[in-house]
């Protein structure tokens, strides 16, 4: 059985049929990526898994247990943690306060302190700025903070929504290096990323979304070699 299963999800925004029967699975320890054009349904898939948007049909399960019937905060308690598009840090709180917010569903104070140190070791720049207001950080620093905040929830599955959006190339490399480090540590990741080239370099498997439907799924290696994927998403003609 897969760790995370999405089965025949249909999600709507009013009368707009955004997801049209999406099915996918993520195994423990994998990085699985969703690629596709803007508006294909990638972020909506993550929002549906995390309970921010409810499907009209279909099911989401973690180790066989239904998630789609739970409110979003209960889904977080089950270990499905999303790092949202646009980072969305709490700008009037400090770096350390933002990270502590990531552990809001936990009461194991000693383990929270240990996890905070792990985040600081992963992102030394955050430790340097731990007393700085999050709203004054650079875009790259805010992405580190949003990712660190997600890790403070001890995710069983980490949902990453467009982590490289708006970042300079050197920071994009840093974010993807971090994703690879998390992978080596055993973190299970479902990655939505506009930069398909980078996403397919770090992922184990991938799904291609088009107009709310999955049109292709394969290993990341095979998707990189697929001619239609190369033309549509990798800039290879």
């Amino acid at each position: 059985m897969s760790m995370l299963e999405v089965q025949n999800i249909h999600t709507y925004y009013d009368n707009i049929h955004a997801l049209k029967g999406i099915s996918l699975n993520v195994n423990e320890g994998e990085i699985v990526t969703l690629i596709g054009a803007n508006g294909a349904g990638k972020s909506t898939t993550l929002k549906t898994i995390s309970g921010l948007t409810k499907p009209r049909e279909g099911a989401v399960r973690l180790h066989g247990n239904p998630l789609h019937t739970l409110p979003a905060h209960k889904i977080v308690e089950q270990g499905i943690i999303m790092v949202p598009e646009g980072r969305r840090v709490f700008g009037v709180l400090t770096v350390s306060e933002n990270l502590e917010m990531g552990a809001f569903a936990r009461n194991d104070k000693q383990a929270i302190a240990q996890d905070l140190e792990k985040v600081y070791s992963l992102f030394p720049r955050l430790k340097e700025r731990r007393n700085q207001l999050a709203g004054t950080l650079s875009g790259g620093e805010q992405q580190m903070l949003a990712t660190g905040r997600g890790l403070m929830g001890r995710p069983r599955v980490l949902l990453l929504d467009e982590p490289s959006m708006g970042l300079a190339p050197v920071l994009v490399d840093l974010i993807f290096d971090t994703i690879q480090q998390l992978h080596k540590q055993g973190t299970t990741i479902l990655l939505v990323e506009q930069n398909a080239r980078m996403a397919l370099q770090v992922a184990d498997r991938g799904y291609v979304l088009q107009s709310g439907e999955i049109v292709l799924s394969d290993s990341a290696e095979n998707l990189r070699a697929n001619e239609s994927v190369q033309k549509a998403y990798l800039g290879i003609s």
Side-chain angles (χ1 to χ4, degrees):
M1 179 186 297
S2 297
M3 187 175 192
L4 178 68
E5 293 180 286
V6 176
Q7 297 178 322
N8 195 34
I9 284 295
H10 290 260
T11 299
Y12 290 75
Y13 294 117
D14 294 324
N15 293 322
I16 298 172
H17 196 174
L19 299 182
K20 305 167 185 174
I22 295 286
S23 293
L24 60 88
N25 67 285
V26 182
N27 298 316
E28 189 165 0
E30 277 192 313
I31 298 180
V32 174
T33 187
L34 308 180
I35 63 173
N38 286 333
K42 306 185 301 296
S43 292
T44 300
T45 300
L46 295 193
K47 289 177 182 177
T48 302
I49 293 169
S50 62
L52 297 176
T53 304
K54 290 296 183 184
R56 289 192 192 175
E57 298 177 41
V60 181
R61 294 187 174 90
L62 181 68
H63 288 308
N65 298 313
L67 296 178
H68 56 282
T69 57
L70 301 177
H73 69 282
K74 291 292 185 183
I75 293 174
V76 169
E77 291 174 7
Q78 295 297 312
I80 305 296
I81 310 290
M82 184 161 80
V83 178
E85 179 183 347
R87 300 174 273 279
R88 301 197 186 180
V89 298
F90 299 102
V92 297
L93 300 182
T94 65
V95 166
S96 63
E97 288 169 340
N98 268 268
L99 293 173
E100 288 165 6
M101 286 293 290
F104 79 95
R106 301 171 55 188
N107 19 7
D108 47 342
K109 290 186 179 180
Q110 185 174 352
I112 289 172
Q114 292 171 347
D115 287 346
L116 186 59
E117 288 307 313
K118 288 180 184 177
V119 170
Y120 284 148
S121 66
L122 188 64
F123 300 114
R125 204 174 305 182
L126 294 183
K127 188 167 188 176
E128 295 170 9
R129 289 160 171 72
R130 59 188 178 276
N131 296 319
Q132 187 172 327
L133 293 181
T136 65
L137 299 176
S138 70
E141 290 164 347
Q142 288 189 6
Q143 185 61 54
M144 294 175 202
L145 180 56
T147 303
R149 182 182 61 194
L151 293 173
M152 289 298 294
R154 284 202 170 174
R156 297 168 78 183
V157 182
L158 185 64
L159 311 179
L160 294 177
D161 194 0
E162 301 285 6
S164 77
M165 179 178 285
L167 300 184
V170 64
L171 293 175
V172 172
D173 290 341
L174 175 61
I175 291 300
F176 277 94
D177 284 346
T178 303
I179 292 171
Q180 288 181 302
Q181 286 184 57
L182 294 173
H183 187 211
K184 290 176 182 176
Q185 293 169 11
T187 306
T188 303
I189 297 172
L190 181 57
L191 168 67
V192 160
E193 179 53 56
Q194 193 68 28
N195 188 333
R197 182 185 300 277
M198 295 292 286
L200 291 173
Q201 283 176 2
V202 300
D204 299 295
R205 294 187 296 113
Y207 295 86
V208 180
L209 273 67
Q210 184 177 312
S211 302
E213 298 179 272
I214 291 173
V215 296
L216 187 61
S217 65
D218 210 330
S219 69
E221 182 180 6
N222 287 344
L223 288 174
R224 289 197 305 269
N226 183 288
E227 187 175 339
S228 62
V229 171
Q230 290 179 347
K231 287 180 179 179
Y233 306 111
L234 304 182
I236 300 173
S237 57

